[in-house]
Amino acid sequence: MAIRQLPPNLINRIAAGEVVERPASVVKELVENAIDAGAARIDVTATGGGLQLVRVADDGIGMGPEDLALAVERHATSKLADDDLSHILTLGFRGEALPSIGAVARLAITSRARGAKEAFQVAVDGGRKSPLKPAARAAGTEVEVRDLFYATPARLKFMKSERVEAAAIADIVKRLALAHPEIAFSLSNDERTTLRLDACPPGLLDHALDRLGRILGADFIDDALPVSAFRGNVRVEGFAGLPTLHRPNGLNIYLVVNGRPVRDKLIAGTVRAAYGDLVPRGRYPMLALFLDMPPEEVDVNVHPAKTELRFRDTNGVRSLLIGALREALGAAGHRATGSLSHEALQRMAPPASMAPPTFVPQPGARAYQSHVRPRNVGLSDRAQAPLEGVDEPSADMRGVATADETPTDYPLGAARAQVQDTFIIAETGDALVIIDQHAAHERLVYERLKQSVANGGIARQMLLIPEVVELDGEAVAALLAAAEELERLGLVIESFGHEAIAVREMPALLGTCDAKGLLADLAGTLLEAEDGGAKILADRVDYVLSTMACHGSVRAGRRLSPQEMNALLRDMEKMPFSGQCNHGRPTYVELKLSDIEKLFQRR
Ligand SMILES: Nc1ncnc2c1ncn2[C@@H]1O[C@H](COP(=O)(O)OP(=O)(O)OP(=O)(O)O)[C@@H](O)[C@H]1O
Ligand SMILES: [Mg+2]
């Protein structure tokens, strides 16, 4: 076949393939245009996951009739005064977005320039432009995109469920809203308002705190560390979540470079490196970082969707970020392991191969026979509810606190102390064992939940007062869609307005559970799932149980009585896979006395 010049319509569609990948890309392009137009408020509407309709209305500068007619032509832009691509101050610069959208959907733009008396409308239908006509509208612009990809049915096949597409739309609106707190935003999905954000006064980052809280959750504000640093003419500001505030996916990592939300690999990798192993493997911190630099320091013309960038001084940006994050985390007492203790840690191997331990408890052990704890419980014991899911210490074992403990009686030895309200130190015949109390208890609760499911069901406990948990609209929708499955696993939830859920019943094993964290985690996983979460619960009961166990387990930071510590150790010895928690982290490490001697150069 002979070589031919492609018709303009086809060229448009090829470009659209890159610019407009899914409904969320349409939302992104239209909201960016509204931001560039100096809008003070932007209202986004989507139906059918944005495939049926996306509408973005703004009160920006608007367009007169000539501009409006030009706006939908390829490579027509008002944003590149000179031909200089190295000095971009606006979000758009290619003059590609509107024509690309018009090529694959039914596009209608109604606009009235500020100060003008009339509004006009232009329409492009699958690449065919209709003549301009008069319309009615206040100053500003409204863009409607209907039947996305109707002109390219092949692409429609790649769309995920409406719910997944709606979640992607919400995600991009949140990212743009976080980058521009001076603008008021609203988002409604299938006629339900899922996000409503008032404008924050312009100026210092502090003013944007309110918006940060609305987008990342109030917990984030409480548990975030301020980050502020500069290097040369590059500045980073923002907030880094405490390492304990981790999430199952990276959706809560917000990065903004010169007002542009980005998902940059370099920055993402740097963040991971800065947190290091403070965040468990497979989990992600929460973070909002704003980088500002002169436009020539960063090339935004790298990716067709403009989500990736290239920094002129990559290493400089990297070390600025690492330094700023380490400093923030360090100031909060989460210092990276120093070299000396690192060496010591290397000698402390986790239990061999994580295989189920073959410990056989020795209930008849001498030390536990003759001591019976007095009936009146001490103050320190009463201060906190008993550890749920851990066997009440048997009468035999109650004397542990005062007993002359024999470390060799049990594989995990005798609890000697609790350090930092987080680790239990136990002594065996030839080693020192350090137990992570949260990881260990989590494993226990998980195994018990699993046993309950196998034995026909998880016992539920009704909450005296239903706990109301505030979440964003997407999370609420995802959880409610899974409510029946969750009920089978012991968690009974109910709708409580658009942005909240009431928890009525909980698995009894969880005791006092961090309901908010649990629901946020479950919603995160449901939203992230390829299939919109439809199958996730059925297929991944284990996941749900382990998430429950994680949030229902004794936290680091809680003081345990000696009885509680020893009861935990004895239960661990009976439990399969007790050597690792549900995240794959070890629950305890053992430091042989011989290694300790080596550390002190006695050998
Ligand atoms: N909401 C709006 N308000 C005012 N003018 C707009 C609006 N949306 C688009 N325009 C005008 O239409 C032009 C074309 O928009 P389009 O999004 O296609 O390209 P762009 O924003 O210039 O570049 P890019 O393709 O990178 O987004 C813009 O340059 C701008 O002048
Ligand atoms: Mg644009």
Side-chain angles (χ1 to χ4, degrees):
M1 209 170 93
I3 294 174
R4 68 188 175 108
Q5 168 77 55
L6 295 175
N9 191 25
L10 191 53
I11 295 172
N12 268 337
R13 289 187 194 186
I14 293 168
E18 301 165 273
V19 178
V20 186
E21 249 183 295
R22 60 194 298 191
S25 0
V26 172
V27 171
K28 171 180 178 291
E29 294 296 339
L30 298 183
V31 173
E32 286 186 354
N33 280 348
I35 294 172
D36 283 346
R41 84 162 290 120
I42 300 175
D43 298 302
V44 183
T45 309
T47 50
L51 287 162
Q52 244 171 54
L53 169 72
V54 167
R55 183 193 300 124
V56 175
D58 69 58
D59 59 357
I61 52 171
M63 286 174 272
E66 294 80 23
D67 278 350
L68 186 55
L70 260 181
V72 293
E73 298 295 339
R74 287 202 63 192
H75 308 299
T77 177
S78 61
K79 300 173 190 177
L80 278 183
D82 40 22
D83 293 341
D84 185 5
L85 270 172
S86 72
H87 206 87
I88 290 163
L89 298 167
T90 45
L91 296 170
F93 55 87
R94 308 154 306 179
E96 277 280 25
L98 294 178
S100 303
I101 295 167
V104 295
R106 302 183 212 279
L107 167 72
I109 311 175
T110 313
S111 191
R112 176 165 150 193
R114 265 186 204 158
K117 289 206 178 65
E118 306 144 304
F120 292 89
Q121 185 179 72
V122 69
V124 183
D125 208 326
R128 269 176 299 109
K129 182 174 161 187
S130 332
L132 226 59
K133 58 181 187 191
R137 188 185 200 279
T141 304
E142 178 171 315
V143 184
E144 274 195 1
V145 179
R146 290 182 188 276
D147 305 328
L148 182 63
F149 300 132
Y150 90 97
T152 48
R155 185 150 275 276
L156 262 185
K157 293 208 186 81
F158 286 95
M159 291 305 112
K160 299 187 174 143
S161 74
E162 285 184 9
R163 200 147 60 78
V164 172
E165 296 302 334
I169 290 175
D171 182 60
I172 192 66
V173 172
K174 283 188 209 162
R175 283 175 196 278
L176 286 158
L178 192 77
H180 294 276
E182 74 284 0
I183 303 175
F185 280 87
S186 79
L187 168 65
S188 53
N189 180 35
D190 288 337
E191 261 129 68
R192 233 169 44 106
T193 303
T194 52
L195 192 69
R196 194 191 298 280
L197 301 167
D198 295 331
C200 300
L204 293 168
L205 187 62
D206 287 1
H207 290 125
L209 258 186
D210 180 51
R211 176 144 309 179
L212 272 165
R214 289 296 310 281
I215 290 175
L216 282 122
D219 305 5
F220 177 72
I221 297 300
D222 296 341
D223 283 345
L225 308 161
V227 175
S228 174
F230 63 90
R231 182 188 162 105
N233 47 15
V234 182
R235 164 167 286 283
V236 58
E237 300 272 350
F239 289 91
L242 285 177
T244 43
L245 203 65
H246 47 74
R247 291 287 179 269
N249 55 47
L251 284 175
N252 286 294
I253 297 178
Y254 288 82
L255 306 169
V256 179
V257 177
N258 287 358
R260 189 188 296 279
V262 293
R263 282 174 186 259
D264 183 75
K265 289 199 196 76
L266 170 90
I267 304 182
T270 306
V271 166
R272 221 176 302 127
Y275 274 85
D277 54 8
L278 293 175
V279 167
R281 205 176 322 146
R283 307 280 300 180
Y284 300 80
M286 295 178 78
L287 197 77
L289 291 182
F290 302 82
L291 276 126
D292 283 293
M293 59 196 80
E296 56 273 12
E297 289 290 322
V298 53
D299 185 2
V300 290
N301 191 22
V302 191
H303 188 265
K306 297 181 284 190
T307 50
E308 285 171 25
L309 343 129
R310 197 169 295 135
F311 296 104
R312 206 180 48 77
D313 177 13
T314 304
N315 286 336
V317 171
R318 206 181 145 80
S319 45
L320 168 69
L321 278 176
I322 290 251
L325 285 171
R326 286 256 163 92
E327 191 185 304
L329 295 170
H334 295 280
R335 273 171 232 290
T337 321
S339 59
L340 185 81
S341 51
H342 190 74
E343 183 171 323
L345 275 174
Q346 290 205 315
R347 289 169 199 259
M348 297 191 231
S353 79
M354 298 295 193
T358 47
F359 298 150
V360 182
Q362 304 153 37
R366 179 186 48 82
Y368 297 100
Q369 302 236 314
S370 52
H371 302 277
V372 176
R373 192 172 64 161
R375 277 283 149 205
N376 53 339
V377 183
L379 239 194
S380 65
D381 289 338
R382 218 183 312 158
Q384 281 160 322
L387 266 187
E388 299 285 341
V390 170
D391 288 336
E392 257 295 284
S394 68
D396 277 359
M397 288 168 57
R398 284 199 177 127
V400 170
T402 50
D404 254 346
E405 194 70 60
T406 307
T408 46
D409 286 340
Y410 289 91
L412 289 176
R416 290 297 187 224
Q418 190 188 17
V419 180
Q420 304 252 306
D421 293 348
T422 299
F423 302 105
I424 300 167
I425 310 287
E427 182 188 355
T428 66
D430 63 347
L432 204 104
V433 184
I434 306 175
I435 299 101
D436 176 332
Q437 68 187 43
H438 170 63
H441 190 233
E442 179 183 334
R443 186 79 220 177
L444 278 178
V445 173
Y446 172 68
E447 290 296 342
R448 297 220 161 128
L449 285 170
K450 251 173 56 172
Q451 274 166 19
S452 316
V453 171
N455 296 342
I458 292 179
R460 300 204 297 253
Q461 184 180 32
M462 177 112 107
L463 303 187
L464 282 179
I465 306 164
E467 181 158 355
V468 175
V469 175
E470 286 181 18
L471 294 159
D472 66 39
E474 268 63 44
V476 167
L479 285 167
L480 289 178
E484 248 175 62
E485 291 284 352
L486 289 175
E487 179 162 345
R488 228 166 296 152
L489 298 174
L491 186 66
V492 181
I493 56 170
E494 264 174 25
S495 156
F496 196 86
H498 290 334
E499 299 201 348
I501 274 189
V503 181
R504 298 214 157 263
E505 293 176 46
M506 286 266 201
L509 267 169
L510 295 192
T512 40
C513 169
D514 159 26
K516 163 112 197 179
L518 171 62
L519 292 191
D521 260 13
L522 288 175
T525 311
L526 291 169
L527 285 171
E528 181 196 32
E530 292 279 302
D531 57 359
K535 278 201 305 201
I536 193 160
L537 290 177
D539 290 358
R540 294 184 63 193
V541 170
D542 285 357
Y543 173 82
V544 178
L545 297 184
S546 91
T547 307
M548 284 179 173
C550 178
H551 290 281
S553 303
V554 57
R555 292 274 129 192
R558 158 144 177 220
R559 180 149 309 164
L560 300 178
S561 68
Q563 289 83 1
E564 283 179 316
M565 288 190 248
N566 277 313
L568 188 57
L569 299 189
R570 303 293 79 85
D571 277 347
M572 281 172 74
E573 286 156 358
K574 287 183 235 154
M575 198 57 76
F577 294 108
S578 66
Q580 69 189 105
C581 83
N582 312 321
H583 303 307
R585 286 178 288 136
T587 54
Y588 64 92
V589 291
E590 198 175 32
L591 185 56
K592 293 280 178 213
L593 285 176
S594 55
D595 281 332
I596 298 179
E597 285 169 345
K598 273 189 217 138
L599 274 181
F600 290 98
Q601 300 178 1
R602 278 164 160 263
R603 282 189 180 211

